[in-house]
Every structure is written in C-alpha cells, then in structure tokens.
C-alpha cells in the first residue's frame, strides 16, 4: 500500500470500513441501502419473468436491469479497489456471488440469448446472510448451528433411513401398481414415494389398487411418525446448548453441590466462596475485624 | 365526571364493571352473551355467503344482519357512554374492531354495494381473545407468549432461511421445468416451492421433468427435516419457562440479587443466609467457636 | 345376590372374573378371543361395503354378520347376567357401544333398510382400548394422558388461535379469489384455509390470483412454523412427567443435595442415610461392633 | 478348519478380516468398493425400468446386469468360503439379502419372465446399513435405537389411537359422502382418512358435501396437533438418553449396584465410598475420632 499517496490511503481505509464492516453509522446505512438495492433488483428479476408484465413494461425492466447492473458493477469495483488482495476476494464465496450477479447482463452484450441467465442474480440475496451475520443475529445463529453440527450425524442417519424406506417402498409399489396410474418407472415411483413419505402429497401420481393404497397408508403412518426422530434429536441438542450456557458444572469445594448459576460467587447450599483463585471478600473482612 | 348526577354516575360505574371487567356474575354473563352474539353474527355472515342459502333465505339474513348491527351499535354506544375518554377507546385496537363490525351495514344505506364488506365483521371474533384474557387462560397464554418472544430471533432466522431456500429452489426449477407444467414465471415458481417445502403439496403445479422431480425430492426432504429447528428451539424455551417457575423472585437482604433457585439457602452473589425465619447454621457454629 | 343359589353365585363370580378382569389365564384368553372377534367382524363390515365383493359373496357376508350379531348378543347377555346392576352397565360408555354393535342387525328384522347402519359396529373397536387398559399399557397411557391434561389449556389456546387464523385468512382470500377458482362461499373458503394451514393440501381448491397465492404462501409458512407450539408444550410436559417419576426432590439432611434417584438409600454426595423414618443399617452394624 | 493347509488357512483368515471386518485399510477399501458397486447396480436397475432408456440402451443394461450378478455371486462365494458355518450365514438376514440380489438373474436363465424380479436387488442397499454399523455411526445409531425402544410402547399406543381415529372418521364420512366423490367403500374411505389425518393430502379423493368438509377440517386439526405426541415422547427419551451418559456403569464394590450418577461419591444403595483411588473422608474423620 506504500505506493499510494497518504490521502488516497486514508480514503481506501474509510471506504473499507463503510462497505466491509458494520459498526459505524455510515457502514450501517450502507448495509441497509445494499439490502434494499438487492431486494429491488430481485423484485425486478421476478416481475420480468411474468410474461404479461414483460410485454407491457419490457422497456422499464430493461432500463432498471441496466441500472442495477451498473450499480452492482460500481460496488464490486469499489470493493476490489479498497482490498489489498482483490483476486482472493473474487475467488471467495461472496466474490463469486457478486460476479454472478453482474455477469449475465454484460455477457448479453457479446453473446445474445444469455439474457435468461439474469435469474442467477437471485443468488445475490445470499449476501443478506452476510449482513445479518454482521448485525445482532450472531449469537442466536451460532447456537442453532452448534446444535445442528452436534446432531448432524444422527440427522444424516435419519435421512439415510428415510431414503432407504423411499427406495424400498417405491420398488414395492412399482411392482404392484399399473403404469397407467403413473408408476411408469422406478425413478418416478421414488418421486411418488418421497412425495408420500414426507407428507407433501401432490396427488399427481396416486395408487389405485387396494394393495397399493394399503402400502401407501403404511408409508404415510411411518412418514407421519418418524418426523419425531430429527425433532427429538434437535430439541435435545438445543436444550443442551442453552443449559451449557447457563450452569457451571464445577462442584462446590464445601458441600459438593454441582449446579450453580454461571454468575454465582457463593454456593447456594452452604455459602462457601466458589472462586478458588481469588480470596473471599468476606474472609478478608472477618480477619480485619479480628485484628 | 363531576358534572353528572350521583345516580347516573353510579349507573355508569356499574355498567363499566359489567362490560369492561369480568369478576362479577353479571360481568361473566355479559361476556358469555357477547361471545354467543358474536358467534351467531359470524355464522350468519358465513351462511349468507352461500349462494343457494342467500337465494332462499335472503330476507331472514337481511333482518338478522340489521338486528346484529343494531345490537352491536347499542353495545358500542354504551361502552362509549361509560368511559371518560371515549375517543381514545375508538382509536384503540378493540375500538377499531367494534367500529368495523357495524360500519358496513350502516354504510350500505348511503353507498349501495358496500354490502359485501360485511365480511369484515368476522374480525369481531378477535374480541373473543379479550374475553379469554380476562378469564382463566391468562397464565398459560403468557407462558406461551414469553417462550415465543424469547425464541423470536431464532424463528425469524429460520423463516428467513426458509424464504431463501424457497427463492433459490424456485429459480432453479423455473429454469429447468417447461412453462406448460405451470412454471410460467418466477413468482409462480416461488408459490410452488413454498407449497412443496412446507409439505402442503396442492399438486396444482407439479414438476414433470426427471431433473425437476429430483430437485423436488431434495426440497421435500429438506422441508420435512428442518421443521425440527423451530420445534427444537421452541421446546427448549417452553422447558426453560416452566423451569423458571423454580426461581424465587425475593431479593437477597444482603445485596438485593433477585433470582435465586427456590432451594437456595445462601445468596449466590454475597453468601448471605436467605431464610429469615431460621438462624444461619454458620452463625451458630461461629458463635460457639467464639465462646 | 342373596336370592341366588350358592353354586350359581359361584358361577357368576367366576364368569365375572373372566370377562371383566384380566389377571387369570382364562380372562386373558377371553380378552384375546374378544379382540380377535371384534377385528373379524370389523373386517367383514369393511369388505361388505366393497360393491364388487358384496355382489359376489353377499350370502357369506350375510351369514357372518348374523353369526357375529348372535355371538355379541350372547356376550352382552352374559355380561349383564353376572352384574348386580345390569341397567347401570347398559348406560355406561362400553354398555352403549356393546348395544350399538348389535342393534342395527336386529333392527333390520323390523325396520328394513337399517342395514346400512351396521357401520356403527366399527365403534366396537373402541372396546380394544378397554382391553389394552387392563393389560400392560396402563403406565405409558397414563403418563401420556397426564401430560395431555396438563397441557390441555395451552393446546386449547393453540387450536383456538389456529381457528381464528383460518377464519380471518379464509374471509380475506374469499374477497380476493374469484368464485370460479372454487372459493364459492366463506364456509368453502374456511375448508380451503384449513386444508392449507394444516399442510394437508388436497389441491381440489387452489388460489389462482397472484395476491391469493401470496397470501397462501404466508399461510403455509405460518402453518408450517406454529406446529412447533403444541409440540414444544407437550414435549415439556412429557419431560416433566418422566422426571417426576424418577427423582426425589427431598434434600439430604446431611449436605442438602436435592436430586436423588427415587431408589436411593444414601446421599450420593455425603453418604448420609436418607430415610429418616427407619434407622441406618450401617449405624446398627457400627454400634454392635463397638459393643 | 484343521483339514485345511496352513497357507490356505491364513488366506481364509485374511479374506475374512477384509470382507467381514472393517478396521484395516484393506477392509475399509473393500467396504467402500462394495457400497459403490451396490449403488451402481441399484442405479442400473432404476434406469432399466425407464421404458425409453430400456429401448435405446437395453443391451448395455443387459451386459451390466450380468456383470453385477457375476460380481455379487463371486463375492457371496468368497464370503461362504471363508466362513466355518456357511449355511448359517445363508440363513441370516444379510445372507438372504445377498442371495436375493443374485437369484433373479440366474433364475431368468431357467424360468423366463422372472427378469422383472431384478427389482429385489434394490434390497441390497440394506447392506449399506451393515457397513455404516461397522464405521463411526455406531454410537449415534445406538442412542437413537435405545430411545426408540424405550418409547416404543407409547408410540404403539399413539399409532393405535391414530388407526382408531382413521377407522371411525372413515366410516362416518363414508355414510355422509356420496360414492361419486370417490368414497365407494369403507376401505377406500380409510385410505382417504389416512391421507387426510397424516396431512399428506393427495386430493384424488376429497369431500364435496358441507358436512363431509366440516368433518375433514376436524380431522385435519386433530392430525395437525397430535403429531406433538410422538414428538414429545421421543424428545423426552432422547434427552433422557443423553443424560444417561451421565451415569457411570461401574459397580459399587460394596453391593454391586451399577447405575450411579457420574458425580456420585457414595453408593446410593449401601453408602460405600465409590472412588477407590482416594480415601473416604468419613473414614479419616472416624479414625481421628477413635484416636
């Protein structure tokens, strides 16, 4: 950075604080403006996909799209300007998202027809997660992610069992039901079995033979009940997380009571001073009284 | 209120106790009669919307509607009569509901065609919440609302993640599925993705391509499993709420700390003996040592 | 019962033990035979309702139906015979069920056409609950019912809120959606709203306007999330029930530790004898050793 | 095994370790290769069922099918070769699965038309469970299965109640709804009732009369709420299982009781000091008193 003039250097640092951090008023305003801009651009992409609106207001959408593309390109340029290693940012998760959001429109200038790829701009909504992370939702999110991580093995086992059930029931019903009812192949039967077991139930494919219906009923009852498994596992983990936050597991040196509030100084049972590294203020008081 | 004659003043107070409170037999009878009246008027509005019934019994419905309107108008008038600040009531939540319930019928006298607005009378059922609040359901409701409040940040995060998943999957399937299958625009795809992820599954729009069906199966499995998240979070909060009953709210005489385990003998902050009716065993020990 | 001869009296007592209790081998055999008979009769009623089977095997069904009716009539007669107050039994829950199971067939002799009422025989399956109650499922069932009872107020509040949401959303969508889409009246809209909020999603009625679909998506997200409420409340109650079964809340007289297994004789922290009403066997042993 | 030459014997033992165990690198490689092979063969069976693919690539599928059959037959032969009691393995769960996976193809040589039975090869995916069991998922799986076992009585009661509700509501709606709406028989009504109560909601059969729709709404609300029961029961059991980790399984040296809190100092049954490495503070106190 030494090759920059001090003034420019100070500007870069100031811009960096505004667009990459979020603890100054200017940075917060930038975050909110960015979320607003992303939501607007997403809305335009959505409305543009409605044929009747596209026909009537196609010109407005076209102008807005270019407006957003130029704004996002400018934002990305400024981001890269105030970083020391711009290439590393471009290869990061949010860098790729930023790039994907502007590429389709620019690309359409060179290669006609890539216009439809503008849908990938919806991925930009993922950037909102980053803003949330910088804001007040840190603690809650971490607790949830911790609980998910610790229950991930069990939830993997659950999903694997569900997939096995889907496959086995799908093959069974594929053998029983006629192709006319929609069970034309095993992959289609698996789609139907997933629709049934997860209690979604589109009804585009439904069993018509009594035996097929009986097996479906069994699948529904299983799907209806086993949702208790991930729920139970995750509940237990959240409860453990919350409790771990609150209680110390260290036993009182006086009476051995081992469930104290994290903030406790004295044992609630025998009144013993709990912090063994610092002296009990009462003791000091007593000894000075005895002198 | 001094400009009223004492007798009238006594009447106003008595009416106030009957229609705004609920601890006297008369007030309870009024509450029950009001709930009954509201339910009847709601039933009439509902039946009136059935074309075949409207054609046959239109006159009865018309008469009943005017009956309820007059009764509700009288009730609102009495409510306003016995309040000192009637305008403030009219601007409150229940005041607006009371007004909305009678306005459409009166308005139809002046502006023909507002008749269909009588549907807003259904909002009057919200008043039942107020009656419940006055009755025995206070404690339980508060516990639930407390638990909801404390888990609101996490449930917001959950709903935001669900909305992101819906948007991203919707755009993906919009690109894959043909418009003939019903995926005509991104908003429609979002509607379909929400129907799928929440396991509602109308089936009015359903994927037809193998790739679209595979992605749907993934969405269903995600939607089926992540319901464990809000359930786990809320379960943990309810358990915490119930357990919070275990805490005494009495302040320590030594330092004023006011959140002690029900079973605590000593303040966890300053070690003071909490049970004021029996002597501190430590004190006895100390005094015997001093002897 | 004094007017009966001793032998007959003994017979009545023995029959009573067999058909009303379930702790002797004969009584258990009777219970199992009765469950088998009920399930068979239910199966016959079900198969009889299938038109193609009825046409082919109508005679067999007719014969079986009369067989079951005579067996159930005989059983009811014997039940009444060995009771001191037969009329009281006939007015009880299970008495009414027993009567309803045989009435339609007998009634069809007098009033032709009551045949179709034989469906009420399915209610006889409820008797299986009684048999289960007598068997090993007592404890588990009681725990569940206790937890349900204690959470009933909160679950009532939840269901009431759900009904309010259904009514309000139904009226809203009734105003928005055209009658052609199936929203012909408020009761029909309520049916649709219930189908949507409970995530059932038949799809026989589905919103077609963008605004209607947007409101539906909101309803789905609400319905998908608030299922966490009854689940959380009930989980908390079951956990409380299980814990209350297991731990004594009485504090140890020695050290005050207050979480002991119900079966504990000695404090796990300080080894003090916990049962204050009987002497500590160790103490006796020690004192005899000192002698 | 004594009739084998030592070298062959050593080979058998080595093969046994590779294909039946999973703690050596070779055994792990074999496990992963086997899972890969199973998934490939399953994929081929699935794709083969798609008519358009079968028509175009029928020959490739035929070749691949024979390839997998020969590989699986070889694997089974080797498994049997290195076991001392091969017949016992063939009668075990995984032996039957291994046999079922190869039988259809061989059988088709003798009895034409059994080709379609190749679907049973999908059962081979169950073998993946065995591989998982050998890997790191042991602990998590056991915890889930323990919790399921302990809640099995209550979940049985829940499913039985759900089945009763389905039967009773099905009969009721069968009497109310016309056959034209799809309620042609009680078994069909039961299918519909299961679809409704488990919130699957295909919509292939839906009530059309107001009364039938009102009863459906009641069923939906019940089905929507009672899912809280198995979830609550299972959550409580998982929490108990996690907490059970808190219990030491070491037996008390005094009385042999083997379920102590991890933090217990004294046996809750006989008061014996549990920590054999440090002396009992009581003993010290007693001995000093005796001096």
């Amino acid at each position: 950075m030494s090759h920059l003039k001090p003034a420019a250097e100070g500007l870069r640092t100031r811009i960096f604080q505004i667009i990459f951090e979020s603890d100054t008023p200017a940075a917060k305003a930038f975050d909110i403006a960015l979320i607003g801009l992303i939501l607007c651009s997403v809305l335009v992409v959505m409305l543009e996909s409605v044929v009747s609106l596209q026909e009537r207001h196609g010109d407005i959408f076209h102008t807005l799209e270019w407006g957003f593309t130029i704004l996002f390109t400018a934002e990305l340029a400024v981001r890269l300007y105030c970083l020391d290693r711009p290439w590393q940012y471009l290869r990061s998760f949010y860098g790729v998202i930023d790039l994907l959001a502007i590429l389709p429109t620019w690309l359409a200038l060179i290669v006609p027809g890539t216009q439809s790829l503008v849908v990938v701009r919806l991925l930009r909504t993922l950037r909102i997660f980053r803003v949330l992370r910088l804001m007040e939702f840190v603690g809650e999110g971490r607790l949830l992610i911790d609980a998910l991580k610790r229950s991930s093995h069990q939830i993997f086992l659950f999903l694997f069992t569900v997939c096995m059930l889907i496959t086995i029931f799908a093959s069974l019903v594929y053998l029983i039901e006629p192709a006319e009812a929609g069970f034309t192949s095993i992959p289609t039967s698996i789609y139907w079995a997933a629709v049934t077991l997860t209690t979604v139930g589109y009804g585009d494919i439904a069993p018509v033979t009594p035996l097929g219906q009986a097996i479906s009923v069994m699948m529904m009852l299983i799907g209806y009940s086993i949702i208790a498994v991930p729920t139970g596992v995750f509940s237990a983990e959240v409860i453990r997380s919350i409790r771990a936050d609150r209680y110390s597991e260290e036993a009182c040196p006086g009476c051995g009571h081992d469930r104290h509030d994290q903030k406790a100084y004295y044992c609630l049972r025998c009144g013993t001073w709990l912090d063994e590294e610092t002296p009990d203020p009462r003791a000091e008081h007593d000894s000075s009284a005895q002198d």
Side-chain angles (χ1 to χ4, degrees), chain A:
Chain A
M1 298 205 304
S2 51
H3 62 283
L4 280 166
K5 280 178 292 185
E9 196 52 24
L11 181 73
R12 268 183 68 186
T13 312
R14 226 163 335 126
I15 294 175
F16 179 87
Q17 280 168 349
I18 290 172
I19 64 178
F20 279 96
E21 290 173 10
S22 74
D23 31 21
T24 60
K28 274 178 188 154
F30 177 82
D31 280 348
I32 288 162
L34 186 60
I35 290 187
L37 208 63
I38 291 173
L39 292 179
C40 284
S41 79
V42 162
L43 195 72
V44 167
V45 172
M46 284 182 183
L47 295 178
E48 210 177 352
S49 75
V50 183
V51 175
S52 62
L53 292 176
Q54 169 65 22
E55 276 166 2
R56 256 185 298 158
H57 309 293
D59 288 351
I60 304 174
F61 290 144
H62 193 75
T63 315
L64 281 171
E65 198 183 302
W66 271 105
F68 289 124
T69 305
I70 289 164
L71 276 171
F72 287 150
T73 310
E75 185 220 338
L76 182 57
V78 174
R79 266 184 205 275
L80 294 178
Y81 163 69
C82 66
L83 284 172
D84 288 338
R85 300 197 199 82
W87 287 110
Q88 199 168 337
Y89 177 75
L90 273 182
R91 280 195 306 264
S92 74
F93 179 69
Y94 287 111
V96 170
I97 283 179
D98 286 356
L99 209 61
L100 282 176
I102 54 169
L103 261 188
T105 328
W106 291 118
L107 219 66
L109 285 182
I110 315 167
V111 196
T114 57
Q115 190 59 23
S116 70
L117 290 175
V118 85
V119 163
V120 299
R121 181 168 293 166
L122 291 181
L123 286 176
R124 259 240 141 173
T125 47
L126 288 174
R127 182 164 270 286
I128 297 173
F129 273 113
R130 197 185 132 81
V131 178
L132 284 178
R133 213 183 62 201
L134 293 171
M135 286 182 172
E136 71 225 277
F137 290 94
V138 187
E140 276 83 11
R142 180 146 310 158
L143 198 144
L144 285 188
I145 287 166
D146 277 5
L148 273 178
K149 260 189 205 155
R150 265 178 321 180
S151 54
S152 64
H153 265 205
Q154 294 173 328
I155 287 179
F156 170 79
L157 262 184
F158 167 74
L159 283 176
F160 181 74
T161 309
V162 165
C163 288
M164 296 296 301
L165 285 170
I166 287 175
T167 310
I168 288 169
F169 275 115
S171 336
L172 203 62
V173 174
Y174 169 68
L175 289 178
I176 292 168
E177 288 285 322
E180 291 79 47
F183 297 84
T184 50
S185 65
I186 296 181
T188 309
S189 293
I190 284 176
Y191 162 71
W192 166 83
V195 165
T196 302
L197 205 81
T198 58
T199 77
V200 169
Y202 284 140
D204 51 349
I205 306 173
V208 293
T209 64
L211 189 56
Q213 293 183 340
I215 291 173
S216 303
V217 168
M218 233 167 75
M219 285 176 73
M220 288 166 203
L221 288 176
I222 291 174
Y224 184 59
S225 313
I226 56 168
I227 187 61
V229 172
T231 307
V233 168
F234 190 73
S235 295
E237 287 301 341
V238 175
I239 289 166
R240 214 208 288 201
S241 292
I242 287 178
R243 202 166 291 158
D245 253 33
R246 265 272 288 301
Y247 290 103
S248 142
E249 294 283 310
E250 275 177 55
C252 162
C255 70
H257 188 82
D258 59 354
R259 195 162 179 280
H260 294 97
D261 201 296
Q262 291 273 12
K263 290 175 204 143
Y265 294 150
Y266 294 94
C267 174
L268 59 85
R269 273 291 160 192
C270 68
T272 303
W273 178 247
L274 288 174
D275 186 353
E276 296 188 357
E277 288 170 22
T278 56
D280 179 356
R282 266 184 332 194
E284 282 170 22
H285 177 75
D286 288 358
S287 55
S288 62
Q290 281 164 16
D291 288 337

